[in-house]
Amino acid sequence: MLGRTLREVSAALKQGQITPIELCQKCLSLIKKTKFLNAYITVSEEVALKQAEESEKRYKKGHSLGDLDGIPIAVKDNFSTSGIETTCASNMLKGYVPPYNATVVQRLLDQGAVLMGKTNLDEFAMGSGSTDGAFGPVKNPWSYSKQYREKRKQKPHGMLAGHDPKDSTTIQDPGKPFMLSSLTDVSKLCIGIPKEYLVPELSSEVRSFWSKAANLFESEGAKVIEVSLPHTSHSIVCYHVLCTSEVASNMARFDGLEYGHRCDIDVSTEAMYAATRREGFNDVVRGRILAGNFFLLKENYANYFAKAQKVRRLIANDFVNVFNSGVDVLLTPTTLSEAVPYPEFIKEDNRTRSAQDDIFTQAVNMAGLPAVSVPVALSNQGLPVGLQFIGRAFCDQQLLTVAKWFEKQVQFPVIQLQELMDDCSSVFEIEKLASVSLQQ
Amino acid sequence: MWARAVWLGRRSWMGWRRGFTSKGDPQVKTGAGRAGGEAAQETERVPPMTPSPASSAQGSGRVTAEVIEHLERLALVDFGSQEAVARLEKAIAFADRLRAVDTDGVEPMESVLEDRCLYLRSDNVVEGNCVEELLQNAHRVVEEYFVAPPGNISLSKQDEQKPFSHTD
């Protein structure tokens, strides 16, 4: 049951083949068995069982809330969950219990989803490998088919549409929920391949998957053309400046007064703030705050911050030009290569790694476009490799429809955690010992 | 125009490489993107910029002790080690790559949603009365007040516990 698709499980719940409580218990059991992956910071067992119970009552009455009713979900620990500790994988928020749900969490719960717990991440999501959180690195479940590798952070899949009345920066257009139609004919599509994404560091394996994907679209009748996004190479630097500047401002809220960690110093507010922040933040976070403050200094503002804002416009314009020329969707790699082994990954510092790894997925954030990463195939080492689709602004439905068609074509294998564990139970004993030493 | 032949069917990845790696590649010419043509190639020309003590220190790649102290005070976050200073210097060097981009006549972009207005809801009180919930998360509370140490005392060097000495 746990290896099936969400749609299959939802159907099984509706047909009574399994109850929400049974499903919840299976999930909790698997979470316990796979604890060595360090994927969860908090497992909300009691809450989950209670929610599953309520879901079961609804199904019995025939009043299920929808496709997500009774479906187990986990939420990354930088989304607020009312009554459940939310840490952002930082000492600054250890023990912090939000009094409200993030809007996206509320929406999931309103649909009857069952919250299993909060998942691990880099501290304040600053990084690209989920290696730098206060609770230790996350292990890649795919690596248990062979060797120990580090999981690359999955980029967000598509955009969550809709207006959030609690966030005035969200679009006010009525976001209607849409169903994805099954596309059968791609011959009217124009797929763009941005040539600047073909960088020397791209592994030959990923390049080959990218090429095959392009060929697939072409063989099915789509128009596949090379396009240019000339400012691609500047995107990551632009982001680096803008992001650290925003971080410098955003993280100012953590002063120990209203929530979060507070140190013992009482001499003065500034001394207290400084010590609290020193104790609460890791090097990565502090590094970004300091860099951001540097770029925002009066003497640097024009040359760094405003300059980056200008470059951002050039990047956004690149995409506008390409989409205006008739391209519907862009196809690019998601990462440079398969996930890199942990000992190798940590040789470079967080900023360097992020700068290298985010190269393909970063530009869409500058341009405000929807994008989705679809797993394509397993590499020679048995690790997953994905490709990215980028859509026009606000054309999420078209983007996801194309991605869905592609997903159907590639038939990516579902991970069978149960089988992996049955095969490798002795490996896990070794892993338990290794994970203790890694966290030191 | 670029050769469509590179794409057709079952090209080997060598075909890709040939098509892409030369600098003189023709691009898809679309619209009249501002600075689109020029900025495609990395320009050697450095746009005129106001000289600053921080950027002149960068010429040597070093951040001065003065700047460090200033940043620590502004950020209320300390460097803590020589490595952290080195990391900042690398971050600055990385950011310096922006100088190569020609942005003459380009307006800064503050948001991709710059053509829209922010949503403003009507000015009615619809929620509140959550004093207890909010006070619960604070370490030091007296009645309904958050308690802060005395203010108006600027951060002195003694409070900062610098374990390393920065040498210029």
Side-chain angles (χ1 to χ4, degrees):
Chain A
M1 183 59 61
L2 293 182
R4 309 239 197 116
T5 68
L6 195 148
R7 213 177 288 279
E8 287 167 350
V9 175
S10 184
L13 284 169
K14 287 197 186 91
Q15 288 154 22
Q17 287 166 25
I18 186 170
T19 70
I21 292 181
E22 282 167 349
L23 183 58
C24 179
Q25 282 165 341
K26 272 189 199 272
C27 260
L28 287 170
S29 164
L30 188 58
I31 291 172
K32 286 195 182 98
K33 287 193 207 145
T34 52
K35 207 166 169 202
F36 58 90
L37 291 176
N38 205 21
Y40 280 83
I41 293 177
T42 302
V43 180
S44 47
E45 184 163 338
E46 275 176 38
V47 166
L49 286 167
K50 186 159 168 285
Q51 289 171 352
E53 209 180 292
E54 282 161 20
S55 173
E56 199 158 304
K57 282 188 200 145
R58 287 192 293 266
Y59 272 109
K60 284 208 175 103
K61 288 190 193 149
H63 292 156
S64 85
L65 292 169
D67 288 333
L68 288 181
D69 203 336
I71 298 290
I73 57 160
V75 168
K76 188 166 168 175
D77 207 17
N78 58 356
F79 287 96
S80 286
T81 42
S82 177
I84 299 173
E85 189 182 3
T86 298
T87 66
C88 296
S90 175
N91 286 327
M92 187 59 90
L93 288 176
K94 263 189 190 157
Y96 169 66
V97 179
Y100 62 91
N101 282 320
T103 299
V104 68
V105 171
Q106 190 60 54
R107 290 198 184 169
L108 285 167
L109 295 177
D110 287 344
Q111 291 288 311
V114 175
L115 182 63
M116 293 290 124
K118 309 300 291 298
T119 57
N120 204 353
L121 60 155
D122 286 307
E123 183 158 338
F124 286 105
M126 296 185 186
S128 61
S130 300
T131 51
D132 289 315
F135 299 93
V138 179
K139 311 281 170 50
N140 187 345
W142 286 99
S143 68
Y144 287 92
S145 53
K146 296 225 170 177
Q147 304 153 42
Y148 309 149
R149 305 280 168 100
E150 194 48 58
K151 185 184 170 88
R152 193 143 288 178
K153 180 173 88 168
Q154 288 297 307
K155 297 298 171 186
H157 286 233
M159 268 167 53
L160 287 166
H163 174 57
D164 178 358
K166 296 192 174 165
D167 181 353
S168 71
T169 63
T170 54
I171 310 288
Q172 222 188 329
D173 295 346
K176 290 187 296 275
F178 51 74
M179 294 291 290
L180 288 184
S181 59
S182 287
L183 187 64
T184 45
D185 174 22
V186 295
S187 60
K188 297 200 178 62
L189 278 182
C190 178
I191 309 287
I193 310 284
K195 65 178 189 174
E196 289 84 2
Y197 281 54
L198 183 63
V199 295
E201 298 85 357
L202 186 65
S203 83
S204 54
E205 230 178 346
V206 176
R207 187 164 48 218
S208 141
F209 288 137
W210 188 19
S211 173
K212 286 193 186 122
N215 290 343
L216 172 66
F217 277 102
E218 198 159 46
S219 65
E220 295 289 320
K223 193 169 159 208
V224 178
I225 58 168
E226 185 192 67
V227 297
S228 175
L229 298 167
H231 297 91
T232 297
S233 61
H234 304 299
S235 167
I236 203 83
V237 187
C238 177
Y239 167 75
H240 161 70
V241 173
L242 293 178
C243 168
T244 49
S245 303
E246 297 237 345
V247 162
S249 170
N250 233 329
M251 304 304 273
R253 73 187 66 213
F254 293 107
D255 52 23
L257 276 183
E258 297 110 323
Y259 46 77
H261 174 65
R262 178 174 176 152
C263 70
D264 288 326
I265 292 178
D266 247 345
V267 176
S268 68
T269 40
E270 286 208 5
M272 190 277 273
Y273 293 166
T276 294
R277 290 155 70 81
R278 180 193 313 131
E279 290 168 15
F281 292 142
N282 73 1
D283 287 345
V284 176
V285 177
R286 284 176 23 231
R288 292 199 190 190
I289 293 172
L290 289 164
N293 274 294
F294 179 85
F295 298 134
L296 291 173
L297 289 176
K298 239 185 306 191
E299 61 261 29
N300 292 335
Y301 190 95
N303 296 338
Y304 290 95
F305 187 70
K307 179 80 177 175
Q309 287 184 314
K310 294 179 184 181
V311 174
R312 182 183 184 179
R313 184 178 297 282
L314 294 175
I315 292 167
N317 282 351
D318 278 356
F319 282 99
V320 167
N321 291 339
V322 161
F323 285 122
N324 279 348
S325 72
V327 169
D328 295 305
V329 166
L330 294 168
L331 170 63
T332 82
T334 302
T335 52
L336 289 169
S337 68
E338 64 190 4
V340 158
Y342 182 81
E344 209 181 299
F345 187 84
I346 57 174
K347 277 185 194 157
E348 298 276 13
D349 72 29
N350 184 291
R351 184 191 58 79
T352 310
R353 275 292 170 211
S354 300
Q356 291 165 349
D357 299 341
D358 292 347
I359 188 176
F360 298 125
T361 49
Q362 200 296 302
V364 288
N365 295 310
M366 296 282 96
L369 298 173
V372 61
S373 177
V374 180
V376 168
L378 294 179
S379 69
N380 284 333
Q381 301 292 325
L383 294 174
V385 172
L387 291 175
Q388 173 181 234
F389 292 93
I390 303 172
R392 294 165 181 254
F394 304 108
C395 294
D396 302 37
Q397 185 165 8
Q398 181 187 45
L399 171 72
L400 293 175
T401 304
V402 173
K404 180 176 164 175
W405 176 87
F406 182 73
E407 187 183 49
K408 218 166 158 199
Q409 306 297 314
V410 299
Q411 300 280 309
F412 185 78
V414 175
I415 191 173
Q416 297 296 346
L417 275 177
Q418 202 62 56
E419 283 170 22
L420 282 177
M421 285 166 48
D422 293 337
D423 289 342
C424 308
S425 52
S426 58
V427 170
F428 296 155
E429 283 309 309
I430 302 169
E431 174 54 37
K432 273 185 211 151
L433 298 171
S435 71
V436 169
S437 60
L438 269 176
Q439 278 174 37
Q440 277 156 5
Chain B
M1 283 306 269
W2 123 113
R4 197 180 143 92
V6 172
W7 281 105
L8 282 177
R10 306 68 214 169
R11 293 296 135 177
S12 69
W13 65 267
M14 281 302 287
W16 279 56
R17 290 274 299 258
R18 240 183 297 128
F20 292 161
T21 53
S22 63
K23 252 200 162 170
D25 262 349
Q27 301 142 31
V28 174
K29 291 273 193 252
T30 54
R34 243 177 330 193
E38 291 169 344
Q41 296 113 29
E42 302 242 341
T43 61
E44 298 303 295
R45 173 165 66 105
V46 176
M49 285 187 277
T50 45
S52 69
S55 63
S56 60
Q58 266 132 62
S60 61
R62 300 298 304 275
V63 176
T64 64
E66 191 190 29
V67 169
I68 289 178
E69 205 189 301
H70 188 39
L71 287 176
E72 287 187 334
R73 215 174 223 117
L74 279 177
L76 287 176
V77 154
D78 60 354
F79 280 84
S81 67
Q82 194 55 40
E83 279 87 41
V85 178
R87 266 199 297 266
L88 177 64
E89 287 167 351
K90 270 200 254 172
I92 296 168
F94 186 58
D96 281 339
R97 290 198 212 171
L98 285 177
R99 291 170 194 231
V101 188
D102 178 9
T103 52
D104 273 354
V106 180
E107 285 298 300
M109 178 183 249
E110 307 214 332
S111 161
V112 287
L113 302 176
E114 58 190 358
D115 297 330
R116 298 175 180 240
C117 289
L118 278 185
Y119 162 69
L120 291 177
R121 64 178 175 85
S122 54
D123 191 11
N124 299 318
V125 175
V126 295
E127 57 181 6
N129 292 325
C130 47
V131 170
E132 270 179 40
E133 283 171 303
L134 293 177
L135 290 175
Q136 246 167 42
N137 280 312
H139 280 261
R140 260 173 242 182
V141 169
V142 167
E143 294 181 15
E144 291 183 350
Y145 291 89
F146 295 112
V147 179
N152 276 339
I153 301 173
S154 61
L155 201 61
S156 77
K157 288 208 176 140
Q158 281 136 359
D159 294 325
E160 280 179 46
Q161 298 159 36
K162 281 192 179 157
F164 75 102
S165 60
H166 180 83
T167 49
D168 269 45

